[in-house]
Amino acid sequence: MDLFADLEKIVKHNVSMAEHTWFRLGGPAKYFVEPTSEDELLEVVRRCHENNVPIYILGRGSNLLVADKGVDGVVLRLSNPCFNLIEFHGENTVRAGAGTDLSVLLGECARKGLSGLECVAGIPGTVGGAVKINAGGRFGDIGNVAQSVKLMDSSGYRFERTRPDIFFGYRMTNIMAKFILGAEFNMTPDDPEQIGRMIKEVWMLKKNTQPMNSRNAGCVFKNQRAISAGALIDKAGLKGTKIGGASISERHANFIVAQDGATSQDVLDLIEHVRRAVRDRFDMELELEIEVWQ
Ligand SMILES: Cc1cc2nc3c(=O)[nH]c(=O)nc-3n(C[C@H](O)[C@H](O)[C@H](O)COP(=O)(O)OP(=O)(O)OC[C@H]3O[C@@H](n4cnc5c(N)ncnc54)[C@H](O)[C@@H]3O)c2cc1C
């Protein structure tokens, strides 16, 4: 049986993942699926489940390295507007679909005078991707204001989880369900101008300290308790180290930047090199913050 019979219009074949990741790296996805409704998504998930076809869910690909050989399965992207809806309820609640761009959500909240998400300013991802890893930084994390999440498991069962059942830690959550469909945020009413100033402050800090306009995936490694991974890499003398077309950023040592001609394997080799050097020098094990699909 054809896995996607009657669903051909939402399926593309052998789509280069380099077109869909911030690293601009990665081989082809066997199937690239963009459902146009939640029921269509459910149908895709059910068929893949019944036929043991793995699904990888993609946001903006800004925290992701895909192997050069590509993805032998389905890459699913919630790009259709039906997954990008933003709704305001009552005085301080906002709900957003998983495919919503963080910058769009942040802009809408600022206009409405709702504070709480300024900490994600400048993070180039979707609501789904950000909730999945509790994205954030020195000004806070998205989990601080997440009140509930709408989920679907790999068999297609849809359900919701609310605080205190959901837990957000440093770049992690206890959400085990495969698909995040949306989230509800508990915001605080504030002056739109003040919110705008805060967004600018967070954004400027990122702009001044990170190589935001290059091909990268944000911080590669998680910080170690009180020590930043960037400081460890810097102290190990690794800034500027290059393997093939991948190099450690001179601006921020926890960023790997891809140049023309880079491969995913170059990035993986550089990651291994950094880990070994930090282990040898400080007896510490660096844990990946980025996701690797290989
Ligand atoms: C220049 C730059 C700066 C960055 N700065 C920061 C920062 O300050 N703080 C920070 O935390 N991160 C930062 N990042 C990393 C990244 O932007 C965030 O982690 C972002 O939240 C990833 O979202 P995404 O939609 O692109 O997810 P992707 O990269 O597409 O996916 C990441 C993971 O989330 C999963 N995922 C995506 N959508 C869903 C969904 N709907 N349901 C379930 N799982 C899903 C994917 O399967 C994958 O495992 C930065 C990245 C760049 C390139």
Side-chain angles (χ1 to χ4, degrees):
M1 172 207 148
D2 178 4
L3 183 62
F4 294 117
D6 306 329
L7 291 171
E8 292 87 358
K9 68 180 194 317
I10 61 164
V11 181
K12 291 183 191 139
H13 298 262
N14 294 319
V15 171
S16 165
M17 289 302 294
E19 290 167 23
H20 295 281
T21 58
W22 271 65
F23 263 134
R24 301 251 161 273
L25 295 174
K30 188 168 180 186
Y31 306 105
F32 191 86
V33 182
E34 294 175 283
T36 60
S37 68
E38 214 173 286
D39 286 342
E40 230 168 43
L41 167 68
L42 179 63
E43 187 57 26
V44 170
V45 169
R46 272 207 197 117
R47 288 193 201 180
C48 289
H49 186 66
E50 280 161 15
N51 292 281
N52 285 322
V53 176
I55 301 183
Y56 300 79
I57 182 156
L58 176 73
R60 291 282 173 280
S62 61
N63 200 40
L64 200 58
L65 176 68
V66 180
D68 297 313
K69 70 177 184 328
V71 179
D72 187 15
V74 169
V75 171
L76 195 66
R77 195 167 71 140
L78 305 181
S79 53
N80 189 274
C82 69
F83 298 107
N84 300 349
L85 297 177
I86 299 176
E87 294 168 5
F88 292 93
H89 295 270
E91 293 217 325
N92 61 351
T93 300
V94 58
R95 286 188 200 139
T100 310
D101 214 281
L102 289 176
S103 62
V104 174
L105 176 61
L106 191 50
E108 292 281 308
C109 289
R111 260 186 294 283
K112 288 266 180 194
L114 291 177
S115 165
L117 284 166
E118 298 87 305
C119 57
V120 300
I123 300 180
T126 60
V127 165
V131 168
K132 174 78 186 174
I133 71 142
N134 190 19
R138 103 172 39 162
F139 295 90
D141 303 327
I142 195 166
N144 296 352
V145 286
Q147 186 57 28
S148 68
V149 283
K150 198 173 149 195
L151 303 166
M152 184 187 279
D153 72 13
S154 48
S155 70
Y157 174 66
R158 280 176 275 195
F159 61 107
E160 210 160 304
R161 285 185 76 190
T162 308
R163 280 189 187 276
D165 291 343
I166 33 171
F167 167 79
F168 293 90
Y170 169 58
R171 300 294 161 268
M172 58 79 68
T173 73
N174 64 347
I175 296 170
M176 300 303 284
K178 178 105 185 167
F179 309 107
I180 296 166
L181 303 183
E184 181 177 295
F185 303 99
N186 198 358
M187 311 288 282
T188 307
D190 202 345
D191 170 22
E193 277 186 24
Q194 170 58 25
I195 297 172
R197 276 193 293 275
M198 190 63 195
I199 291 173
K200 201 167 169 197
E201 190 183 325
V202 177
W203 191 82
M204 284 306 286
L205 183 88
K206 283 179 77 65
K207 189 169 172 279
N208 290 335
T209 55
Q210 300 178 357
M212 287 180 75
N213 293 325
S214 57
R215 293 163 52 190
N216 66 76
C219 288
V220 174
F221 301 101
K222 291 186 181 179
N223 293 328
Q224 299 282 307
R225 285 156 296 198
I227 311 170
S228 87
L232 288 174
I233 298 166
D234 196 3
K235 281 193 181 125
L238 294 168
K239 260 190 179 172
T241 304
K242 219 175 157 198
I243 294 186
S247 58
I248 308 280
S249 166
E250 293 281 1
R251 183 167 257 230
H252 192 312
N254 200 8
F255 278 61
I256 289 181
V257 173
Q259 269 105 27
D260 283 351
T263 64
S264 299
Q265 193 56 49
D266 293 339
V267 178
L268 289 170
D269 290 344
L270 190 52
I271 286 172
E272 207 33 57
H273 178 77
V274 170
R275 275 183 152 158
R276 207 175 312 120
V278 168
R279 194 183 303 131
D280 289 349
R281 175 89 194 266
F282 304 108
D283 195 26
M284 291 180 105
E285 208 55 52
L286 286 177
E287 191 188 336
L288 278 184
E289 179 168 324
I290 61 168
E291 292 278 330
V292 181
W293 291 355
Q294 59 181 343

